[in-house]
Amino acid sequence: YYQALDGTCYVCPEGMECLEANSTANAISIRISQSDSTWPIPISAGGYMTLTSNGLGAYKCKDAAWCPGGIPGTCAKNRDSESIGCSRCIEDHYTSDDGSCTKCSKTSASLLLWGAMVVGMIGLGFFARMVNREQLNQPN
């Protein structure tokens, strides 16, 4: 349970952890300065997240590793805390195979571009040879 501003007690919402003596009245005065796991209102459980705009509306995350739980807006490293369920990476990051957000590398993009160009040039060479093979095989 948690206690709302009007003194009413409510059942802890799904995806939330209601620690002892949690109350929204306490949270209002320290919401701006509080930044650790001792948040005095219900906090999101692991595998869930809440937006800073709605600290009591828990969203289940597609991948539990994206949402460690905690105060509103808490997501795993380099995940966008304004995306529902921490579903997006922050700018200039991408979701890698293991689900973590990895910074985009200019080197990897340029290597990919160069690789595509080399493959394209080789493909054009083979295509030109195939089109002109009869002329190339004629005796002089």
Side-chain angles (χ1 to χ4, degrees):
Y1 289 90
Y2 74 97
Q3 184 179 9
L5 285 172
D6 64 4
T8 306
C9 284
Y10 293 96
V11 173
C12 195
E14 180 181 349
M16 305 292 288
E17 292 179 1
C18 295
L19 306 174
E20 185 178 342
N22 284 342
S23 77
T24 52
N26 293 338
I28 301 300
S29 63
I30 64 165
R31 176 176 286 245
I32 294 170
S33 64
Q34 189 69 17
S35 64
D36 62 27
S37 62
T38 61
W39 193 253
I41 62 170
I43 59 173
S44 58
Y48 290 83
M49 69 85 66
T50 56
L51 299 173
T52 54
S53 60
N54 181 9
L56 294 176
Y59 296 96
K60 186 169 185 160
C61 302
K62 182 178 177 182
D63 185 333
W66 298 351
C67 303
I71 63 172
T74 300
C75 291
K77 184 178 180 184
N78 298 323
R79 291 224 154 257
D80 180 5
S81 62
E82 293 302 314
S83 64
I84 302 288
C86 303
S87 58
R88 292 189 310 244
C89 293
I90 61 174
E91 190 173 332
D92 295 329
H93 288 71
Y94 67 95
T95 302
S96 59
D97 292 339
D98 66 0
S100 65
C101 290
T102 304
K103 186 164 180 57
C104 295
S105 169
K106 292 179 183 176
T107 304
S108 63
S110 63
L111 285 175
L112 181 63
L113 180 61
W114 278 106
M117 287 175 45
V118 168
V119 169
M121 295 298 279
I122 291 171
L124 281 173
F126 279 119
F127 178 74
R129 183 166 173 82
M130 293 301 292
V131 168
N132 296 310
R133 71 174 172 233
E134 288 185 21
Q135 291 177 351
L136 293 172
N137 291 332
Q138 291 180 358
N140 290 339

